[in-house]
Amino acid sequence: MKHTISALVENRPGVLAKISGLFSARGFNISSLTVGETEVPDVSRMTIVVTGDDRTLEQVVKQLNKLPDVLKVIDFKNEEFIERDLLLIKVSATKETRREIFEVANVFRANVVDISLDSCTLELTGKETKIQAFVKILEPYGIKEMVRAGIVALARGKK
Amino acid sequence: MELKGSEIIIKCLEKEGVDVIFGIPGGSVIPLFDKLYSSKVRVILTRHEQGAAHMADGYARASGKVGVCVATSGPGATNLTTGIATAYMDSVPLVAITGQVATHLVGNDAFQEADTTGITRPITKQNYLVTDVRELQDTIAKAFLLARTGRPGPVLIDIPVNIQNETCKFDPHKKNIEIRGYKPTLKGHPKQIRNACDLMLQAKKPILYAGGGIIISDASKELKKLAEKLNVPVTLTLMGIGAFPGDHKLFVGMPGMHGTQTANYAIQNSDLIIAVGVRFDDRVTGRLDKFAPHAKIIHIDIDPTSISKNVSAHIPIVGDCKVVLNQILECLKNKKIEANKTKDWLKKLDEIRKQKPLTYRKDSLLRPQFVVETLYNLTQGKNVIITTEVGQNQMWAEQFFVYREPRTFLTSGGLGTMGYGFPAAIGAKVARPDREVIDIAGDGSFQMNIQELATAKVNGIKVIVLILNNRYLGMVRQWQELFYGKRYSSVFLGDLKAREYWPDFKKVAESYGLIGLRVEKKKDVEPAIKEALKAKETCVIDFRIHEEENVSPMVPGGASLDQILELA
Ligand SMILES: Cc1ncc(C[n+]2csc(CCOP(=O)(O)OP(=O)(O)O)c2C)c(N)n1
Ligand SMILES: [Mg+2]
């Protein structure tokens, strides 16, 4: 099972190492980890997607809470939340296929951000499932390179 | 007040009530040692940084105060790590101060540079690299706060040499510091306390399973009150030894791999385990899916990550042991307690205790258990602190001595660090000069920090080292004997051809200007220990014990607590 957890942490050197070190030392499986600034300058938000059963998740949350550099842990299991990932993908595109690819992009509301003679690069924001579907559709054209930024998440509604 | 970084460190140490530190200087802590030279803080120069860390640890365990050790950058810092990891596993309050190369050199593979905060990240409760002298005062305050509160542990502060020389304002009246991401829960949830009390009142075969958390939170009195009030037997983990009187009629001994038959029976057959300040270590539980199959579990601990990590608790209670035990006692105050409810259970346990006591062969051979027993008979366990090394010696020290008070049995439980006992004894003696401090040692382990004999000599610190010398890495040999067909691979410490003993520990002690004794016969045990107790200087006794003695009983690794081998 995949779980999304968000942690507000001290924005100082070494904190990312502490958290990633904790995950590897305890054998927790990270499928995505992102760090970014928040509305408070000295606080960063980490969004971590872990794979594991409920027991593992419980340990992950407890272990994170135990670190003095972690200010708050939000386990989205019990909350409604919005999550987004960002994809940049470079697909082979000839004069003949370019049109088709643009159509696909249009349906997915992806942006075309770069074009060359034999390829084009698209940008897509969305949930994991949407991104996966998009990549799958583009596969037949030939994916030259792609990168995902990792998942970011926020709880819905009021803070 | 404008002060240099090195002076700020001293001021902070004084403010935290530090009266002694253990360590070795080097290039990147020279400014600090320069200020220590003229400060009131006592510096004990050790012969190895590992010794310094274990001494600070022994000091902390014996006194309950924070132990402090200091080392230079690079090799000094890496030498501390075994001691830091030892303290981490056993939740010992420790502050380690390390020098670091100058800030402009950090990350450049400078001379004697090591990524100390990187290396110690998984073995410290928290660590800091100070990159601005203005942060020094707060950082040190935070380090001490973290080390001593909540679940205690080691905190490391890495201080580049230039920071020690830079100046900034120091505020002597600064009020207590807070760490926003750190708020240990002390009080148990009232509803959980009520539920726990209900279970305790119903149980017919309950057992109190208590550990180091009791000693750390100073909850021995409360533990005894609860045990006596409910008439519940008590088992103590290796870390908990001393938290409950070892000669109390409710005490059933230690559980687990080398625990008593009674304690293991009690756990396996109990209907309620009241776990306080313990973490269900694998050396205690044995095979997890066969552990205490009939028991409901109440688990009280200050560290939420310890609860339901290995064994899931029916009633988890996060809180300080002392606070929670008092809450429980309060809750039980107005309840009717049927004192007879556990009568049959206690009777059964008494029977097992009589039938299967801890024992050994009482023949003419010099056996290690006899040495430990004689030490007990001579001291009655009064006014002593026992430290141990790791291996068979550690188990015999636990089994054949009676501990009645907390902070009288200091041992590396979690990490199992050979070489711990002797420097820890020195640290304990510094904390408690009024006590006789005795390291019950193995010949292998003692050699891992034997150089600290010089520290004991030069500083006039008197401890006693009783070497249970089997000329083997005995515990490993025991496993090889039992589980690897007696193939004694790399465990014999003597000379295979000449069958001689190396080193001659008596001569080693003497070469340090200390007292060395050798005992080969049973009848000489008592006079030798008496002499050591009377001596004014550190005394090392080399007991040439029966070589292939085993620790008994034993639950083989990975077996369930019902599968006990009697080896005596
Ligand atoms: C630093 C370290 N290295 C290795 C071990 C593995 N080990 C556990 S017990 C033991 C033997 C200890 O020998 P000794 O100190 O003579 O004690 P004995 O078991 O003979 O009483 C060893 C090697 C350890 N615990 N610590
Ligand atoms: Mg030995």
Side-chain angles (χ1 to χ4, degrees):
Chain A
M1 261 288 273
K2 273 192 180 176
H3 305 273
T4 308
I5 296 167
S6 169
L8 296 172
V9 305
E10 296 282 358
N11 180 8
R12 67 176 189 95
V15 174
L16 176 61
K18 282 198 164 97
I19 289 171
S20 59
L22 170 86
F23 277 78
S24 67
R26 302 224 169 239
F28 301 143
N29 236 324
I30 308 181
S31 34
S32 153
L33 188 152
T34 58
V35 201
E37 286 176 11
T38 66
E39 70 283 5
V40 188
D42 58 352
V43 174
S44 313
R45 184 187 282 268
M46 285 192 165
T47 311
I48 307 155
V49 182
V50 282
T51 345
D53 52 16
D54 281 357
R55 208 189 164 115
T56 313
L57 181 72
E58 187 186 327
Q59 264 298 314
V60 170
V61 171
K62 282 177 171 179
Q63 292 287 355
L64 282 172
N65 267 315
K66 190 171 160 178
L67 295 177
D69 289 319
V70 173
L71 308 175
K72 190 175 179 197
V73 181
I74 306 136
D75 172 6
F76 288 120
K77 202 170 73 176
N78 313 312
E79 265 185 85
E80 283 222 39
F81 67 104
I82 310 151
E83 65 176 348
R84 289 291 180 271
D85 199 346
L86 171 74
L87 170 79
L88 283 179
I89 187 164
K90 195 184 290 165
V91 220
S92 304
T94 56
K95 247 201 243 132
E96 293 76 42
T97 57
R98 198 176 282 156
R99 236 204 158 68
E100 250 175 83
I101 291 171
F102 287 1
E103 262 166 39
V104 172
N106 221 348
V107 172
F108 277 84
R109 292 182 225 289
N111 295 322
V112 180
V113 288
D114 189 35
I115 263 186
S116 70
L117 282 176
D118 59 349
S119 75
C120 66
T121 304
L122 309 169
E123 167 206 312
L124 177 72
T125 313
K127 283 217 240 185
E128 169 120 68
T129 43
K130 180 177 171 186
I131 288 184
Q132 280 166 350
F134 188 57
V135 173
K136 200 157 177 211
I137 286 215
L138 293 176
E139 251 164 24
Y141 299 99
I143 295 169
K144 287 172 164 289
E145 268 185 308
M146 66 170 261
V147 61
R148 286 171 58 173
I151 285 164
V152 291
L154 274 184
R156 276 188 190 278
K158 59 174 186 280
K159 190 186 165 186
Chain B
M1 197 180 350
E2 281 275 328
L3 290 181
K4 273 188 163 185
S6 50
E7 291 167 314
I8 292 176
I9 300 172
I10 309 262
K11 287 270 180 239
C12 290
L13 292 177
E14 283 170 351
K15 202 169 165 214
E16 299 292 341
V18 175
D19 45 18
V20 58
I21 63 177
F22 305 88
I24 300 183
S28 65
V29 278
I30 291 184
L32 173 59
F33 273 83
D34 181 63
K35 294 300 171 222
L36 282 167
Y37 191 62
S38 47
S39 91
K40 283 190 297 261
V41 180
R42 179 179 177 197
V43 183
I44 293 186
L45 170 64
T46 66
R47 295 300 179 269
H48 190 297
E49 287 85 354
Q50 186 187 349
H54 290 326
M55 284 179 210
D57 171 313
Y59 175 91
R61 292 194 211 210
S63 65
K65 296 200 281 183
V66 179
V68 182
C69 55
V70 187
T72 192
S73 63
T78 54
N79 271 351
L80 284 181
T81 51
T82 302
I84 294 173
T86 303
Y88 184 68
M89 288 294 275
D90 290 345
S91 312
V92 177
L94 200 80
V95 167
I97 298 173
T98 49
Q100 183 54 277
V101 301
T103 40
H104 73 277
L105 291 173
V106 168
N108 280 313
D109 300 320
F111 176 63
Q112 293 198 324
E113 179 181 5
D115 176 8
T116 304
T117 47
I119 290 167
T120 58
R121 185 198 52 72
I123 53 169
T124 49
K125 182 168 172 182
Q126 175 69 307
N127 63 22
Y128 299 98
L129 171 64
V130 182
T131 51
D132 184 336
V133 69
R134 286 167 301 180
E135 284 168 9
L136 194 52
Q137 184 178 0
D138 280 0
T139 303
I140 298 174
K142 283 181 192 171
F144 275 86
L145 176 70
L146 285 167
R148 88 170 98 76
T149 60
R151 178 177 179 174
V155 180
L156 179 135
I157 317 169
D158 202 22
I159 311 174
V161 63
N162 60 311
I163 301 285
Q164 298 169 40
N165 282 325
E166 284 166 21
T167 58
C168 81
K169 240 184 85 198
F170 173 77
D171 176 2
H173 307 294
K174 198 157 197 168
K175 60 176 178 18
N176 288 343
I177 194 114
E178 270 191 35
I179 301 167
R180 55 183 177 174
Y182 178 72
K183 275 177 208 74
T185 308
L186 300 179
K187 241 179 119 180
H189 195 288
K191 195 172 135 249
Q192 296 291 72
I193 301 271
R194 281 197 301 276
N195 291 342
C197 289
D198 288 345
L199 279 188
M200 289 182 206
L201 292 170
Q202 286 159 23
K204 289 200 176 69
K205 300 171 167 186
I207 177 144
L208 263 162
Y209 154 44
I214 299 284
I215 296 175
I216 292 167
S217 73
D218 187 25
S220 294
K221 251 201 263 141
E222 287 77 5
L223 176 70
K224 188 155 165 255
K225 253 196 213 160
L226 182 66
E228 288 174 349
K229 193 175 180 98
L230 295 169
N231 222 12
V232 183
V234 177
T235 181
L236 292 175
T237 66
L238 191 66
M239 294 311 302
I241 295 296
F244 188 78
D247 50 0
H248 196 288
K249 67 177 192 334
L250 289 171
F251 187 56
V252 296
M254 184 175 78
M257 183 171 277
H258 293 297
T260 62
Q261 292 266 8
T262 325
N264 285 337
Y265 176 91
I267 284 189
Q268 289 305 81
N269 293 280
S270 66
D271 60 3
L272 177 68
I273 292 179
I274 309 160
V276 200
V278 293
R279 58 188 177 88
F280 292 84
D281 181 78
D282 54 270
R283 282 292 186 268
V284 167
T285 61
R287 194 172 145 176
L288 269 178
D289 59 352
K290 295 271 169 71
F291 175 76
H294 318 292
K296 286 238 162 66
I297 290 168
I298 299 168
H299 191 176
I300 302 162
D301 201 278
I302 197 160
D303 181 358
T305 67
S306 285
I307 297 179
S308 296
K309 181 178 63 183
N310 301 336
V311 172
S312 32
H314 300 90
I315 303 187
I317 303 178
V318 177
D320 174 80
C321 292
K322 190 186 184 91
V323 176
V324 172
L325 286 179
N326 274 319
Q327 284 178 283
I328 289 173
L329 287 166
E330 186 60 35
C331 177
L332 289 172
K333 223 175 199 167
N334 311 312
K335 299 262 162 74
K336 236 191 89 190
I337 295 162
E338 277 183 63
N340 272 343
K341 196 168 250 144
T342 59
K343 210 175 97 191
D344 292 345
W345 173 236
L346 289 171
K347 214 176 114 200
K348 175 77 193 166
L349 298 182
D350 269 340
E351 275 167 28
I352 299 171
R353 189 169 13 205
K354 284 198 192 93
Q355 284 162 10
K356 299 173 177 174
L358 291 172
T359 186
Y360 64 96
R361 296 240 325 251
K362 303 204 167 111
D363 50 14
S364 62
L365 294 179
L366 176 54
R367 295 187 190 264
Q369 301 92 334
F370 176 76
V371 176
V372 178
E373 241 174 35
T374 308
L375 175 69
Y376 178 73
N377 291 335
L378 288 175
T379 59
Q380 290 300 307
K382 290 206 180 88
N383 218 22
V384 297
I385 293 173
I386 304 291
T387 70
T388 80
E389 300 295 343
V390 167
Q392 295 181 310
N393 58 85
Q394 182 180 31
M395 294 298 111
W396 290 320
E398 185 280 323
Q399 291 179 331
F400 293 93
F401 199 94
V402 183
Y403 303 88
R404 294 193 200 81
E405 279 175 57
R407 305 196 182 281
T408 57
F409 180 70
L410 317 184
T411 196
S412 168
L415 198 68
T417 310
M418 289 171 70
Y420 169 79
F422 177 48
I426 295 177
K429 183 72 180 184
V430 171
R432 299 297 309 263
D434 55 320
R435 300 253 173 155
E436 199 70 66
V437 184
I438 304 156
D439 173 29
I440 296 181
D443 48 324
S445 302
F446 182 50
Q447 291 185 69
M448 289 206 182
N449 274 313
I450 198 164
Q451 74 287 344
E452 301 307 331
L453 283 168
T455 309
K457 172 70 191 178
V458 170
N459 292 282
I461 300 163
K462 187 234 167 158
V463 299
I464 297 174
V465 184
L466 304 183
I467 308 173
L468 305 177
N469 187 355
N470 49 14
R471 236 187 335 178
Y472 272 114
L473 298 170
M475 187 56 97
V476 181
R477 187 209 53 76
Q478 174 167 345
W479 283 54
Q480 291 175 346
E481 176 189 332
L482 298 172
F483 313 118
Y484 290 87
K486 275 204 169 196
R487 288 159 55 86
Y488 291 165
S489 174
S490 297
V491 287
F492 187 61
L493 296 172
D495 181 337
L496 270 176
K497 276 180 239 114
R499 299 297 297 184
E500 277 180 54
Y501 284 79
W502 300 112
D504 179 340
F505 288 112
K506 180 176 183 299
K507 280 194 194 151
V508 170
E510 285 167 358
S511 77
Y512 280 97
L514 298 167
I515 305 162
L517 302 170
R518 182 188 310 131
V519 173
E520 278 158 311
K521 298 208 176 65
K522 242 176 142 172
K523 69 168 176 42
D524 298 327
V525 172
E526 191 175 311
I529 295 179
K530 274 187 177 158
E531 187 178 338
L533 289 168
K534 253 192 247 128
K536 293 269 177 285
E537 279 219 274
T538 287
C539 184
V540 178
I541 314 182
D542 179 6
F543 292 97
R544 305 254 168 114
I545 60 164
H546 172 54
E547 294 191 344
E548 299 201 14
E549 188 70 20
N550 285 330
V551 177
S552 173
M554 177 174 196
V555 176
S560 84
L561 294 187
D562 316 292
Q563 291 169 279
I564 306 176
L565 308 176
E566 274 295 347
L567 306 165

